[in-house]
Amino acid sequence: MAHPIRLKRYSVETEAGWHSYSLDGDLVALVGAVNTGKSSFFEGVAYTFGAEPVWPVAMDRFVHRVETEVLLGGQHVRLRRSVRGADRQVELLEPDGALAEILPLKDTDDNGRTTLSQWLMDALGLSNLLGTARRGKKPVTFNELLDFLYVRQSTIDQKIAGHRADRPSALRQTLLELLFGLSTPDLPALEAELRGVSDTIRQLTQDQASISTFLNASTATNLDAVQADIARATEEHGAAESRLKVIETELTALTGAAEPLRAALRQAVDEAEATHRRASSARRALSDSESSVDQLRKRLEKAHKPVLQCLHCHTDLSRRTLPENACPLCTETNTDLATAAVLIQRQLDAARDRVVQGQARVAEAEKAAAAADARVGDLQQRLDEATRRLIAPHADQLADARVAVAETAARLQSLQRLVEPHQRLRTLKEQLREAEERRVELTQARKDLIASYAVRRSDVLDSLNDIFGDVVAEMDLPWYAGDARIDRATYLPIVDGQGVERLGGGTRAAVTVGYHVSLLRYLLTNRVGDLPTFLMIDSPTKNVGRNDWDTRFAQRIYRSFVDFVTARAGAGIATDPFQVVVADNDLPASVRGHVLVHDFDHDRPLIPGLRNPHAAEQ
């Protein structure tokens, strides 16, 4: 099933406005000297697809926004993203520039909004196919798919579809299997469940070992033994409590002779409590009388003092003249101040008399309370002595019975604490058994699923091997001995028995290009597979020199794919929509006629009018 991506136009916005480059061709090339913006062009396209850019400072300084007009799975849109600031969203525009939607760059959005990655996957019809694949515990995003579609200049001789020798990518293998029909979306989901079950078994085993270590310190080796011990301990504890109750009942009967003393003690306690209540009441009355004396004394002092300052506005009143017998506060003249003072004095004297009387009553009540307390103490001492004489012969028996109750209670509690870990251990064993059975089921299901794809897998890998062998032969690599294949386990290229990481720099880059071109040629030849028929390669002839042999080598790298396309077109063979965009310092003249070319130089760089991209100011 074809999933075409076709770049229609790429634009950059500077202070001078928008500058656009048409890309509407099957084969497109950006050609020019170093530092003219070719890699920044590709990074800008990837940036609108959500990738983090690797571009020079000139892009940050002089470009405001970038935009890619693109056809994705039949949808014609423009993706626009700001270069300035930490912009974490992309504007989705209609072909006429009308804003359709703003797409966040998150893996998933907490508010339920469609993210850029989700929109791209949906537009290409790949959401269901890749939905079960995982990047750790996170869903796969378009960025992981982009590793198959965009070969960066900086890593063309280091990585293949996201794989590096020092950092192998299991996700790359999973995605290739899904995209080329070597597997089914059910397999990643099944493998994820299998990993989860294996993790569960590991955790259950650790928990079981920890609890077993704890329980090994006890004599009860299993839950049934613990419960039997609990039953015996419960019986022993009940017997000890019954024995203690019998002894206490017998002692209560023996101490009946002391009952008159107990009755006298209870009466004395009641009387002592009553005398304490009376003493407390007398103290409260005395306190009230003392408060009255204090208040009347203050009133009498005020009656003899002149008012020297207004209580309201604080005006000085010391120099004013009042009529005879006038009140110094309200200045009322129809008052008898002397009589008022005499009345207050009489009230004060009466209050003082009440204080004296109250003090006498408090002393008397406290004396009575002390006497009552002494009587209670005397009776309690006599009762204790009488009780000791009666129970002394039985004290050891009582103590032993109480110790027996405490010991059996402690043993019962200790055993009961073992029940929960034994129950937990039994539960863990059952869960572990179920998990191991599930792992066996999943392992077999995985084997069956892989087996069901064995024929399909063999056919696809055979075809990829043939195509990759043809591509490498057409390139005629230096010292090539004729053995080029795709490893059937890792799906990585092997040339003359060597992995790509063991090849020379220029050969390494050429093999990486050949690998990606082989994937695209497989899709176009067989018209099956789900990898989008789009490829963007930055510097396919990286590390290739400029002598005669290297120049011919560079020509062969380009001719390999151009001849494939032109031959199919000449033979009238239908080919699904595709696009290949390359950037390089030069382009062989023999292929220029088949390619839409944009030439850049230092007078005409990607950013128009830019003379010195490294200058601090422009």
Side-chain angles (χ1 to χ4, degrees):
M1 176 182 179
H3 302 275
I5 296 176
R6 189 178 189 85
L7 306 183
K8 302 281 287 182
R9 184 176 299 275
Y10 175 70
S11 306
V12 296
E13 183 188 37
T14 66
E15 290 289 347
W18 284 97
H19 312 276
S20 297
Y21 301 87
S22 174
L23 303 171
D24 196 6
D26 292 342
L27 302 174
V28 182
L30 313 178
V31 183
V34 296
N35 286 335
T36 54
K38 304 184 301 297
S39 294
S40 297
F41 190 116
F42 278 5
E43 288 296 304
V45 172
Y47 185 63
T48 62
F49 285 137
E52 292 303 314
V54 182
W55 55 31
V57 69
M59 286 292 292
D60 294 319
R61 287 179 177 172
F62 305 115
V63 175
H64 298 172
R65 292 181 291 178
V66 293
E67 179 183 289
T68 302
E69 184 178 349
V70 60
L71 288 173
L72 295 111
Q75 296 203 52
H76 186 182
V77 297
R78 292 156 64 177
L79 301 171
R80 179 182 293 173
R81 187 175 176 188
S82 174
V83 173
R84 304 296 176 88
D87 191 29
R88 302 297 300 167
Q89 61 185 27
V90 170
E91 295 179 8
L92 177 67
L93 309 176
E94 301 290 350
D96 62 2
L99 179 64
E101 194 172 355
I102 293 179
L103 303 171
L105 295 184
K106 303 175 182 178
D107 291 347
T108 56
D109 187 74
D110 296 336
N111 297 320
R113 295 181 298 171
T114 299
T115 67
L116 174 65
S117 176
Q118 290 168 343
W119 188 91
L120 292 171
M121 291 292 203
D122 288 344
L124 292 169
L126 296 176
S127 294
N128 291 335
L129 178 68
L130 304 183
T132 59
R134 285 292 178 270
R135 176 172 44 100
K137 294 186 178 181
K138 296 181 179 179
V140 167
T141 67
F142 187 78
N143 273 335
E144 284 73 52
L145 185 63
L146 197 59
D147 283 335
F148 286 89
L149 310 177
Y150 174 31
V151 183
R152 280 187 161 97
Q153 184 269 346
S154 59
T155 58
I156 192 171
D157 55 353
Q158 300 173 22
K159 295 171 65 175
I160 294 182
H163 170 88
R164 287 179 58 153
D166 57 343
R167 282 186 292 181
S169 171
L171 177 60
R172 175 196 59 82
Q173 293 177 248
T174 298
L175 292 179
L176 190 140
E177 289 173 347
L178 292 171
L179 292 167
F180 283 82
L182 304 179
S183 182
T184 165
D186 294 336
L187 184 58
L190 190 151
E191 289 178 333
E193 184 181 357
L194 185 56
R195 286 193 298 272
V197 170
S198 297
D199 290 343
T200 298
I201 289 173
R202 208 163 27 248
Q203 186 62 54
L204 289 172
T205 302
Q206 292 174 359
D207 293 346
Q208 180 176 300
S210 298
I211 295 175
S212 295
T213 300
F214 167 74
L215 292 176
N216 285 339
S218 69
T219 56
T221 56
N222 57 63
L223 182 58
D224 292 336
V226 170
Q227 290 174 334
D229 286 348
I230 287 175
R232 286 192 295 271
T234 301
E235 184 178 349
E236 291 170 0
H237 181 60
E241 285 186 323
S242 298
R243 177 61 180 157
L244 177 61
K245 180 179 278 190
V246 169
I247 293 173
E248 288 176 340
T249 302
E250 292 174 350
L251 291 177
T252 300
L254 287 173
T255 57
E259 185 56 35
L261 279 175
R262 289 195 189 93
L265 177 60
R266 287 194 293 270
Q267 182 179 355
V269 169
D270 292 341
E271 291 175 355
E273 290 175 350
T275 58
H276 279 288
R277 287 194 295 273
R278 287 193 292 273
S280 178
S281 178
R283 282 191 289 271
R284 285 195 298 272
L286 175 59
S287 178
D288 292 342
S289 297
E290 288 172 340
S291 295
S292 295
V293 168
D294 187 56
Q295 292 173 2
L296 290 168
R297 181 180 55 77
K298 290 178 180 178
R299 287 179 59 192
L300 188 60
E301 288 175 355
K302 288 183 179 180
H304 295 292
K305 285 184 179 180
V307 178
L308 302 178
Q309 188 180 52
C310 177
L311 300 177
H312 181 66
C313 66
H314 307 295
T315 300
D316 184 11
L317 304 179
S318 61
R319 298 180 181 179
R320 66 176 177 170
T321 302
L322 293 174
E324 187 177 357
N325 294 326
C327 175
L329 185 60
C330 67
T331 70
E332 177 63 44
T333 57
N334 189 22
T335 59
D336 188 348
L337 297 179
T339 302
V342 170
L343 179 59
I344 293 174
Q345 183 64 56
R346 287 176 181 170
Q347 293 173 344
L348 178 59
D349 293 341
R352 286 172 174 163
D353 290 341
R354 289 195 297 274
V355 167
V356 172
Q357 295 169 5
Q359 290 171 338
R361 283 194 291 272
V362 168
E364 182 181 354
E366 290 179 342
K367 182 178 179 181
D373 289 342
R375 177 166 173 72
V376 168
D378 178 63
L379 288 170
Q380 183 67 59
Q381 183 179 2
R382 290 165 58 191
L383 178 61
D384 290 344
E385 291 175 354
T387 302
R388 270 195 298 273
R389 287 195 302 270
L390 292 170
I391 68 170
H394 309 281
D396 292 342
Q397 186 181 16
L398 178 62
D400 290 344
R402 287 174 175 168
V403 168
V405 169
E407 288 178 346
T408 54
R411 172 159 173 72
L412 183 58
Q413 290 175 355
S414 176
L415 289 169
Q416 288 171 336
R417 282 195 294 270
L418 293 176
V419 170
E420 193 280 330
H422 271 290
Q423 289 176 332
R424 174 64 178 153
L425 184 60
R426 177 175 287 183
T427 301
L428 286 174
K429 288 180 178 178
E430 179 62 21
Q431 291 174 341
L432 185 58
R433 183 189 62 77
E434 293 175 354
E436 287 174 339
E437 289 177 354
R438 181 58 179 161
R439 181 166 63 178
V440 170
E441 293 173 1
L442 292 171
T443 301
Q444 186 59 48
R446 180 179 180 276
K447 289 180 180 178
D448 294 343
L449 192 57
I450 292 174
S452 69
Y453 274 76
V455 174
R456 165 72 179 163
R457 177 189 181 85
S458 179
D459 291 343
V460 171
L461 292 177
D462 286 346
S463 180
L464 279 173
N465 267 336
D466 293 343
I467 292 172
F468 181 64
D470 291 343
V471 169
V472 173
E474 291 163 4
M475 289 181 176
D476 191 14
L477 299 174
W479 308 108
Y480 177 51
D483 177 22
R485 56 189 171 83
I486 303 296
D487 187 274
R488 303 181 87 84
T490 66
Y491 315 128
L492 291 171
I494 303 293
V495 176
D496 292 334
Q498 300 179 89
V500 69
E501 69 277 0
R502 299 176 65 87
L503 303 173
T507 304
R508 217 166 34 236
V511 170
T512 298
V513 172
Y515 177 79
H516 284 274
V517 167
S518 297
L519 298 183
L520 180 58
R521 280 175 61 162
Y522 172 87
L523 296 169
L524 297 178
T525 300
N526 295 280
R527 307 188 74 178
V528 294
D530 292 284
L531 180 68
T533 49
F534 172 81
L535 188 56
M536 196 161 64
I537 306 176
D538 189 355
S539 303
T541 59
K542 181 181 179 181
N543 298 326
V544 176
R546 288 295 176 260
N547 58 52
D548 290 344
W549 196 96
D550 285 343
T551 299
R552 290 193 299 272
F553 179 39
Q555 291 175 349
R556 292 195 297 273
I557 292 174
Y558 279 104
R559 293 298 322 180
S560 172
F561 190 73
V562 171
D563 289 348
F564 165 77
V565 173
T566 55
R568 289 177 67 84
I573 300 174
T575 300
D576 287 334
F578 73 94
Q579 186 176 45
V580 177
V581 187
V582 299
D584 214 337
N585 295 343
D586 197 7
L587 190 69
S590 60
V591 301
R592 271 187 174 261
H594 304 281
V595 180
L596 171 62
V597 180
H598 287 285
D599 287 302
F600 295 99
D601 56 37
H602 293 118
D603 292 324
R604 294 174 301 164
L606 168 66
I607 305 174
L610 182 64
R611 296 298 179 186
N612 183 3
H614 304 294
E617 300 290 341
Q618 286 286 326

